[in-house]
Amino acid sequence: MRLASLFGPTAAELVFLIQILISPTQGVDFDPVQLPNLNLNQLGRVALTGDFDSISLYTYKQQTEHAFSSNGSQSLITQLPNGDFTPAATADAYIKTMCPFVMKNGQFAGVVVGGNFTSLGGAETQGVAMYDPKTSKSTPLPGLLGQVSVVYCDQDTNTVYVGGDFKGADSTNAVAWVGMSGWANLPFAGFNGPVESITKAPNGNIVFGGAFTGLGNTTAPQKKDQQVVNLSSAKISSGSTTDANGFNNPKNIVCKTSGRGGPGSTWLLEDKTSGFWRADLNFGFQPTKLRLWNTHQNGRGTKTFRFTALPLNGIMNMTYIDPATGKKTPCDADGARCPLSDDTSLPYQDFTFYNHIGMSAFQIDISEWYGDGAGLNGIELFQDDIYAYAVTDLNEPACANIEFGSNSTPTGPWTTAPSAQSQSQYLTADLAAQDIQSARASVIFKPDIKQKGNYSVDVYTPGCLQDDSCNRRGIANVTGIFTEGGAPIPVKQIYQTNNFDKYDQIYYGPVDVNSDTFRATVTLTPYTQQEQRITLVAQRVRFAPTNYTGGLNGLFEFDPTQGSTLTDFSKSAFDQAGMNLEPGAIVTSLAAVGGISYVGGNFSDISGKFQNIFSIADGNATSLPNGGLNAQVATFHVFRDLLYIGGNFTNTATGNISGLNNFAAYNILSRSWLALGSGVRGRVNTIVPIELNVTEGRPETCITVNGHFDQLDAFGSAPAVPVKGFGVWVPSRQNWLQNLNLTTRTITGKLSTATNITGSDPLLAGTISSQGVPGAQAAVSLTSKPLQLNSLGIKIQPQPITSSKRKRAVSGQNVTGAVTGLFHKNGKLNVTVIGGHFTATASNGSTINNLAFINGTGAVSGLGTGLDEDSVFLALNTQENLLYAGGTISGSLENSNVNGLILYDLASGNFAIPQPPALGGNDVAVNAITTRPKSTQVYVAGNFDTAGSLGCPSVCMFDKGQWSQPGSGLSGSVAALTWQGNDKLLAGGNISINGNATKLANYDTKNRQWTPLDGSDAAVPGPVTALTPAKEDASQFWVAGKSTNGSAFLMKYDNSKFQPIPESSRLGDQTTIHGLSMLSLDNDHKETELVDQSMVLLVTGSLNIPNFGNASAALYDGKSFVPFILSTSGGGPGSLFQLFSEKTVDFKSSGGRMKLGFVVLIGLAIALGVTFFLVVAGILIERYRRRAEDYQPAPTTYFDKTANMGRIPPEDLFGRLGQRGSAPML
């Protein structure tokens, strides 16, 4: 195929870049992370609580606790070897389409990605880019401006066909990328409406579907130079201006179209001096015509000048009508100097620009003059582009006396933002959630339409990087009225999260001329369903006239082997099928399977045979069974012998098949409709395949359904399932994943598209979040052999805290989900308790609120009635089988009010009777509960003033059925407690002792006194919210909280002073630390001053780790933080609250190094013991040997031994000494 010439000045550079960046190998390398060698054996069972719906250990460097965005931005997504999904490259808006570009020679060039983004993977790119899955790098493909909706990679022709709502060189809405050469115009120059789908027909031709009625592109208006560029709001300056009063202001000539001169109306240069006149505007423009009124003040006037575009500093070539000959004449080629006549009969002269160049300022340099010097009486600048600006000063000037000049009407708290890197100034409004209403902020744009015709209407949005508003940008609603007597077009949502400037086409069609009875308008307001504070922006609207060859209706077949386009559309089965539809057909989906092409969209056949879907085979358009579907089809996906269909339908056109609610299938082989469950409640926008381990170790293709629906409809015995626009259909089970009790990971979010890459995993696009523990929500168990997270067997749904409860929890504890937990084992009683603010389902099907029990068999139960559902449990402890549960709890039990604390008998499964007298005070909260070692005394701490009728602020002791006040003088809110031995209690929080503020305090149970911990008030920068011992007796401990400046702090007390962690390893400003725990290691880490070699500090919460990002838990070895656990909640980062275990950490067996002297003494003792053992062993062995050889004891009495000695010969005495077997004989 030979297409039109390349466009875009950087095509050659792109070829080089792509050849360098795209690797011939396609597999993605993932970098595993060495897991920590934790030893949790001494702790028994271990679990973690938090606010998450998915959770995973950090096992690969590519893994992140990414949040999927709900503001329109999406990512390319890959699947890690552990099954988690992770973003590979992030865009600032939607990714709508992808295809792998493999050329004729088999070379893989990359994945072509299209959408309405302005950046991908950090690279600025308008709507389309080439992505390398090996390196995760994106290469911009510049040349298009607008939105790409579909790409189709055709290996046979070495071509990528691109469709959407965009402009590029001489094409509109359709263009091609050819081989490694770059962009090329298609022979038909695109379409007069957007393209939604592209496929290859069975005959090899390329079929385009969309909302177009003809071939063609944008064109210049018949009435040219109609829009006046507003110079009245520009900054005007000049050089070599006269000193003469009334003539020395360069603004004199702006908005002066009468041609009259004189003081205040004429600008003059100094006598016989060259000079300049300059205008710096607050917006960009492309002038097409310059109009100048020459001065004749006292015989003066400008003779020659030139026009310089700024900031390009380019001298513009122009033409003019020579007054003497009446002919069009170019200005002097040497320096592009133009002559200006001094004929007093000429009111003005027009100069037409040869090239249309964008600029934001210009300068007129005057080099020759008439008489004594140069000057001007007036200036006007015109352009073809029809714009209406939100900033009213940028619209056509009122002084231009234009009958229906462009203008706008802003309403609301708008302020003007500088243009920065954008094309013009724009309006911005900061809207709180309660102010996000159309009546609170709006801009009505009114263009200057002088010519009736077809227009493309585009809304421009400035990039968010330039004003640092990306994290606050939201969604705008845009609608408009374009014909007299016509209804407003349907509201279109525009996501304003783009990093760089972009535009969205909101309308394509006829626009009537302005008149006394009609004015075309475009209205921009905030999308009202946004629940957070947003920044709304409004910049400009463009009306671009279009030209086209008509005769089409949503379908066009293109033969790539032809160098030109046939306009006899009746020869194409596709073109003819489109023309047989009712006018205004919109084709959204195309698919070709087994010689049959399927067409879906929003249309109906003229003859009434079918609606919204049909097939084309053997040159004929054919209805599907039952006349198609009864409403719009939005998307197709072919898998095996099924065509999966999504849209806004509820049944077939004849309405006799149930269960086809917005999501259905068509069996290609049997040519019959198939209900998928009962569909979903709401519109389906995209259908995207995904690989999941539905059965452990056996990945299979599942079908994700994405759109604006809130429920998977009930069918058979399966109940309805509430969702947020996302469902997963499992073809092998003929059921929704959400209905199946399977050990597969949790996935939330939405997908927009996917593509398969040979030799690599599929590449997805969208905003999904997934972490790896199946069925785990808000609480998981943790094991170290092997190191893994596991479900506790309870499905928890976090609940939002009401404002009254939120203010009662201390800083850092106003979380939802599972907050606290404990393992209780006493004889045969084995119970796991989870507390927080959540709902769950008991084994008997009842609803559990906020406190759940899991017995040894896995059965789940909850509390009885009596407590308010908005109660929050923050602290748990046990005494025998009695559970002490505290928090922001309220209700009535046995006709007695409870507040802050309840007692529950774990053995009987009932509330204890009687309950302790209720705590009292403002905003009562119990944050910590601990039992004094070797006693039955239970200490309760938090934010309260009384216990029953007893004044007992902040910490109170309960024993033998009654409250007692431990000491006096303590007040404030206590967040954490720990015992330092049997008799000393350490409390942390935001507290005071006898009116003196402190963060940490000691209580001595012997003398019953509270004392502030020395140095804590000055050293600790804010209230303490987390506390854990660093030694067995807690003489050393860790504390964490929030500084007064809002940043998180973490520091260690070493029994004499506080040591903050080094500046180089501190966590980011957005960190909130909920919990601290010391854990043992199998292998020592390098020695550090803060953390013992054999231990590590576990930090839980919502952590921001520099050079990594968000994590829910991290391990600290005294030098640096290492991400440990990642989680998500509702598509955003999750958080962990605390670790709880069956037993406490044993510091004696885990940590500490003996001094050298003790080591030597122990070694010496061991050596002496070994020596003694060897001596004893030797004696025993010798005795055994003697007995075995029959040794006899020598006689102990003799008769006259000395007398006999002389009678024995020497040979008889010693002769037998060498013989064995008997003792020597005398």
Side-chain angles (χ1 to χ4, degrees):
M1 177 182 68
R2 179 74 175 173
L3 294 177
S5 60
L6 301 174
F7 60 86
T10 59
E13 297 173 4
L14 287 172
V15 174
F16 173 78
L17 280 172
I18 293 173
Q19 289 174 336
I20 294 297
L21 290 174
I22 304 300
S23 166
T25 58
Q26 298 171 27
V28 180
D29 293 329
F30 297 106
D31 304 314
V33 174
Q34 183 176 359
L35 293 175
N37 57 320
L38 297 179
N39 185 344
L40 306 177
N41 295 337
Q42 61 174 281
L43 297 179
R45 292 175 293 169
V46 179
L48 294 154
T49 59
D51 181 12
F52 55 85
D53 49 36
S54 60
I55 189 169
S56 176
L57 294 173
Y58 176 59
T59 54
Y60 288 89
K61 290 183 179 179
Q62 289 80 7
Q63 207 173 341
T64 62
E65 192 175 84
H66 70 282
F68 75 71
S69 172
S70 60
N71 64 3
S73 59
Q74 295 184 336
S75 299
L76 297 176
I77 300 166
T78 58
Q79 194 166 17
L80 296 171
N82 66 358
D84 287 352
F85 294 94
T86 187
T90 299
D92 61 353
Y94 275 138
I95 298 171
K96 299 176 71 73
T97 179
M98 294 188 292
C99 67
F101 186 24
V102 180
M103 294 186 291
K104 282 183 178 180
N105 60 6
Q107 180 185 355
F108 175 65
V111 178
V112 182
V113 182
N116 69 341
F117 49 82
T118 64
S119 69
L120 179 66
E124 181 177 359
T125 178
Q126 288 285 342
V128 64
M130 192 81 77
Y131 173 75
D132 181 1
K134 175 69 175 178
T135 63
S136 297
K137 291 183 178 179
S138 301
T139 302
L141 304 181
L144 304 185
L145 182 62
Q147 171 181 298
V148 171
S149 301
V150 58
V151 294
Y152 182 86
C153 295
D154 184 20
Q155 184 175 1
D156 296 335
T157 60
N158 248 17
T159 302
V160 181
Y161 295 94
V162 180
D165 300 335
F166 58 78
K167 299 174 181 64
D170 296 326
S171 291
T172 301
N173 301 327
V175 75
W177 178 276
V178 182
M180 302 302 287
S181 301
W183 294 114
N185 290 312
L186 294 165
F188 50 87
F191 299 93
N192 70 334
V195 173
E196 300 289 346
S197 186
I198 303 174
T199 194
K200 177 180 275 192
N203 62 5
N205 289 348
I206 303 300
V207 180
F208 296 83
F212 49 80
T213 57
L215 306 176
N217 53 26
T218 58
T219 185
Q222 295 176 4
K223 295 181 179 180
K224 298 175 67 64
D225 313 322
Q226 292 299 300
Q227 182 124 9
V228 178
V229 178
N230 192 339
L231 300 180
S232 62
S233 60
K235 177 185 176 182
I236 307 299
S237 58
S238 61
S240 302
T241 299
T242 182
D243 293 331
N245 247 358
F247 300 95
N248 56 358
N249 188 349
K251 292 184 178 181
N252 286 350
I253 63 174
V254 175
C255 270
K256 301 295 173 61
T257 59
S258 65
R260 291 191 296 269
S265 298
T266 298
W267 166 74
L268 297 177
L269 288 174
E270 293 178 354
D271 288 353
K272 303 187 182 302
T273 303
S274 58
F276 69 87
W277 188 94
R278 173 172 172 153
D280 290 85
L281 286 75
N282 294 314
F283 59 96
F285 56 95
Q286 285 186 337
T288 56
K289 183 174 71 177
L290 170 68
R291 177 172 292 175
L292 292 177
W293 283 262
N294 208 348
T295 185
H296 306 288
Q297 184 73 29
N298 299 327
R300 300 168 183 266
T302 297
K303 188 174 184 179
T304 59
F305 70 95
R306 69 181 182 190
F307 187 101
T308 303
L310 301 172
L312 303 175
N313 205 32
I315 300 172
M316 302 294 292
N317 293 313
M318 294 186 286
T319 62
Y320 66 100
I321 302 298
D322 189 334
T325 64
K327 294 181 179 180
K328 183 178 179 180
T329 305
C331 291
D332 182 9
D334 182 18
R337 297 192 181 278
C338 295
L340 191 60
S341 174
D342 66 344
D343 186 347
T344 57
S345 64
L346 289 177
Y348 54 81
Q349 271 187 273
D350 289 340
F351 298 85
T352 302
F353 292 91
Y354 187 79
N355 295 310
H356 297 173
I357 303 296
M359 62 191 75
S360 59
F362 66 92
Q363 182 170 301
I364 295 176
D365 294 293
I366 299 172
S367 52
E368 294 183 279
W369 51 88
Y370 298 106
D372 291 332
L376 292 171
N377 278 357
I379 181 172
E380 269 192 324
L381 205 59
F382 299 86
Q383 62 182 7
D384 285 342
D385 293 332
I386 303 172
Y387 286 106
Y389 290 89
V391 178
T392 55
D393 287 345
L394 308 186
N395 288 304
E396 290 181 298
C399 58
N401 297 319
I402 302 170
E403 187 175 9
F404 302 107
S406 64
N407 63 73
S408 62
T409 305
T411 301
W414 297 99
T415 59
T416 301
S419 59
Q421 288 81 43
S422 189
Q423 190 268 356
S424 72
Q425 291 179 329
Y426 56 94
L427 297 182
T428 178
D430 186 24
L431 302 176
Q434 65 270 19
D435 294 327
I436 303 177
Q437 304 172 31
S438 57
R440 295 292 182 91
S442 67
V443 177
I444 301 175
F445 298 88
K446 302 174 184 177
D448 183 3
I449 304 296
K450 295 183 172 70
Q451 172 186 331
K452 181 177 180 179
N454 287 292
Y455 287 81
S456 170
V457 181
D458 308 316
V459 174
Y460 287 76
T461 305
C464 62
L465 289 179
Q466 60 188 344
D467 60 6
D468 194 28
S469 65
C470 295
N471 62 342
R472 302 188 306 276
R473 290 284 187 93
I475 308 169
N477 279 343
V478 180
T479 185
I481 300 175
F482 303 108
T483 57
E484 189 167 6
I489 64 169
V491 173
K492 181 170 183 177
Q493 293 178 7
I494 293 179
Y495 290 85
Q496 298 192 324
T497 54
N498 45 294
N499 288 344
F500 305 96
D501 286 13
K502 70 161 185 174
Y503 77 82
D504 292 90
Q505 184 184 68
I506 64 163
Y507 175 74
Y508 197 103
V511 177
D512 285 345
V513 68
N514 291 341
S515 67
D516 292 331
T517 58
F518 173 75
R519 189 77 188 266
T521 59
V522 172
T523 302
L524 182 147
T525 59
Y527 173 59
T528 57
Q529 300 303 310
Q530 298 169 97
E531 298 177 354
Q532 314 179 43
R533 177 182 293 273
I534 66 164
T535 295
L536 187 69
V537 295
Q539 188 182 53
R540 57 186 172 132
V541 174
R542 181 192 182 197
F543 284 67
T546 61
N547 184 27
Y548 64 91
T549 301
L552 297 177
N553 193 18
L555 279 171
F556 176 68
E557 182 180 5
F558 169 63
D559 184 352
T561 63
Q562 301 296 320
S564 59
T565 303
L566 298 176
T567 55
D568 185 358
F569 302 137
S570 63
K571 294 182 178 180
S572 164
F574 288 91
D575 299 354
Q576 187 63 47
M579 289 185 286
N580 288 335
L581 302 176
E582 292 286 352
I586 301 174
V587 174
T588 59
S589 308
L590 295 168
V593 187
I596 302 176
S597 298
Y598 295 90
V599 181
N602 189 7
F603 51 74
S604 59
D605 178 49
I606 291 176
S607 63
K609 294 179 180 179
F610 55 79
Q611 297 178 35
N612 303 306
I613 187 170
F614 65 93
S615 63
I616 297 177
D618 301 324
N620 297 310
T622 306
S623 171
L624 269 60
N626 308 105
L629 295 168
N630 65 356
Q632 180 176 356
V633 169
T635 184
F636 284 164
H637 177 72
V638 178
F639 178 61
R640 295 176 180 166
D641 56 352
L642 294 182
L643 176 67
Y644 289 89
I645 305 167
N648 203 33
F649 48 83
T650 57
N651 210 315
T652 61
T654 58
N656 56 3
I657 299 178
S658 61
L660 307 183
N661 293 313
N662 306 300
F663 176 55
Y666 176 74
N667 191 305
I668 296 169
L669 299 181
S670 64
R671 300 184 179 183
S672 60
W673 292 104
L674 177 66
L676 303 174
S678 283
V680 300
R681 188 171 69 183
R683 176 186 171 91
V684 171
N685 294 330
T686 61
I687 298 174
V688 181
I690 191 173
E691 293 290 317
L692 294 176
N693 285 325
V694 174
T695 304
E696 190 65 31
R698 293 175 55 191
E700 62 180 86
T701 300
C702 299
I703 306 298
T704 71
V705 184
N706 311 267
H708 297 291
F709 51 89
D710 60 4
Q711 176 179 286
L712 309 178
D713 288 343
F715 69 98
S717 61
V721 180
V723 292
K724 295 181 179 180
F726 181 78
V728 181
W729 179 258
V730 183
S732 65
R733 306 294 183 94
Q734 287 297 291
N735 206 335
W736 295 103
L737 181 66
Q738 287 88 336
N739 284 331
L740 302 175
N741 187 21
L742 300 175
T743 56
T744 187
R745 64 192 55 251
T746 303
I747 304 174
T748 56
K750 292 182 182 179
L751 291 173
S752 58
T753 185
T755 191
N756 291 316
I757 305 170
T758 303
S760 185
D761 293 329
L763 185 65
L764 308 172
T767 55
I768 65 169
S769 175
S770 168
Q771 304 291 350
V773 180
Q777 290 179 300
V780 290
S781 67
L782 174 66
T783 60
S784 58
K785 301 292 186 296
L787 186 63
Q788 64 182 27
L789 299 168
N790 300 287
S791 172
L792 284 175
I794 180 173
K795 290 186 177 181
I796 291 174
Q797 181 63 45
Q799 296 295 307
I801 295 179
T802 63
S803 59
S804 62
K805 294 289 183 183
R806 183 177 299 275
K807 67 181 181 179
R808 292 167 61 181
V810 301
S811 175
Q813 294 183 327
N814 54 350
V815 295
T816 65
V819 179
T820 184
L822 62 78
F823 295 107
H824 179 74
K825 191 172 184 180
N826 187 11
K828 293 183 179 180
L829 187 62
N830 187 358
V831 182
T832 302
V833 186
I834 306 292
H837 191 56
F838 56 81
T839 60
T841 302
S843 297
N844 63 7
S846 62
T847 298
I848 297 170
N849 290 305
N850 309 318
L851 193 67
F853 307 100
I854 308 169
N855 68 18
T857 64
V860 180
S861 60
L863 296 171
T865 59
L867 297 184
D868 296 339
E869 290 185 2
D870 63 349
S871 295
V872 184
F873 288 91
L874 301 172
L876 303 172
N877 211 314
T878 56
Q879 178 66 251
E880 296 297 331
N881 290 330
L882 200 59
L883 173 69
Y884 288 74
T888 56
I889 305 165
S890 57
S892 178
L893 300 175
E894 296 295 326
N895 299 318
S896 297
N897 291 331
V898 294
N899 194 11
L901 181 76
I902 64 164
L903 269 60
Y904 188 83
D905 190 329
L906 294 173
S908 65
N910 293 299
F911 290 107
I913 299 175
Q915 289 286 312
L919 301 174
N922 295 324
D923 304 329
V924 169
V926 170
N927 301 315
I929 304 173
T930 184
T931 301
R932 182 182 176 186
K934 300 180 180 179
S935 81
T936 59
Q937 297 175 355
V938 177
Y939 284 74
V940 177
N943 185 60
F944 49 82
D945 298 323
T946 61
S949 60
L950 175 69
C952 195
S954 307
V955 176
C956 208
M957 188 266 287
F958 189 79
D959 189 24
K960 299 176 183 178
Q962 64 182 12
W963 289 108
S964 299
Q965 182 181 6
S968 62
L970 182 70
S971 62
S973 180
V974 175
L977 298 173
T978 194
W979 286 97
Q980 296 177 308
N982 298 333
D983 303 319
K984 288 188 178 181
L985 180 65
L986 176 66
N990 189 14
I991 53 183
S992 296
I993 298 177
N994 298 320
N996 298 314
T998 187
K999 285 88 174 182
L1000 292 158
N1002 288 115
Y1003 175 67
D1004 191 324
T1005 59
K1006 292 182 177 179
N1007 61 27
R1008 296 177 56 82
Q1009 287 187 349
W1010 286 99
T1011 56
L1013 183 67
D1014 290 342
S1016 64
D1017 188 48
V1020 181
V1024 171
T1025 57
L1027 169 65
T1028 193
K1031 287 293 181 183
E1032 185 77 17
D1033 61 357
S1035 60
Q1036 298 185 25
F1037 54 85
W1038 287 91
V1039 294
K1042 284 279 189 181
S1043 303
T1044 54
N1045 63 5
S1047 63
F1049 67 83
L1050 176 64
M1051 51 187 14
K1052 181 183 180 182
Y1053 182 73
D1054 66 359
N1055 205 20
S1056 62
K1057 64 181 184 303
F1058 284 92
Q1059 294 178 277
I1061 62 175
E1063 187 73 31
S1064 58
S1065 60
R1066 292 187 183 176
L1067 297 167
D1069 290 341
Q1070 302 304 313
T1071 293
T1072 297
I1073 297 174
H1074 290 314
L1076 302 171
S1077 303
M1078 294 297 298
L1079 301 177
S1080 301
L1081 298 174
D1082 277 331
N1083 300 315
D1084 293 353
H1085 58 72
K1086 292 182 180 179
E1087 185 175 359
T1088 64
E1089 183 181 0
L1090 291 173
V1091 181
D1092 189 271
Q1093 289 175 273
S1094 64
M1095 304 197 78
V1096 69
L1097 177 66
L1098 173 71
V1099 182
T1100 55
S1102 179
L1103 314 179
N1104 182 268
I1105 303 176
N1107 302 318
F1108 174 78
N1110 294 328
S1112 298
L1115 299 173
Y1116 182 65
D1117 62 2
K1119 286 190 176 180
S1120 61
F1121 286 93
V1122 176
F1124 179 43
I1125 297 175
L1126 310 180
S1127 73
T1128 60
S1129 176
S1135 63
L1136 288 178
F1137 197 87
Q1138 65 174 223
L1139 177 144
F1140 65 93
S1141 58
E1142 192 172 11
K1143 303 174 184 177
T1144 59
V1145 65
D1146 184 358
F1147 289 91
K1148 293 179 181 179
S1149 63
S1150 303
R1153 291 294 185 272
M1154 293 184 181
K1155 294 184 178 181
L1156 182 59
F1158 289 107
V1159 175
V1160 171
L1161 289 174
I1162 292 173
L1164 179 59
I1166 293 173
L1168 290 173
V1170 170
T1171 302
F1172 176 76
F1173 172 78
L1174 291 174
V1175 170
V1176 172
I1179 293 172
L1180 293 174
I1181 292 171
E1182 179 62 21
R1183 288 177 63 86
Y1184 174 80
R1185 185 182 68 81
R1186 286 173 177 265
R1187 181 173 297 178
E1189 294 182 354
D1190 197 25
Y1191 275 74
Q1192 298 295 325
T1196 57
T1197 60
Y1198 297 94
F1199 298 100
D1200 193 11
K1201 295 179 184 180
T1202 57
N1204 292 329
M1205 286 296 292
R1207 302 175 188 173
I1208 300 174
E1211 61 273 16
D1212 290 337
L1213 180 63
F1214 301 107
R1216 297 182 64 186
L1217 287 178
Q1219 298 180 19
R1220 299 178 60 88
S1222 62
M1225 299 179 63
L1226 297 177

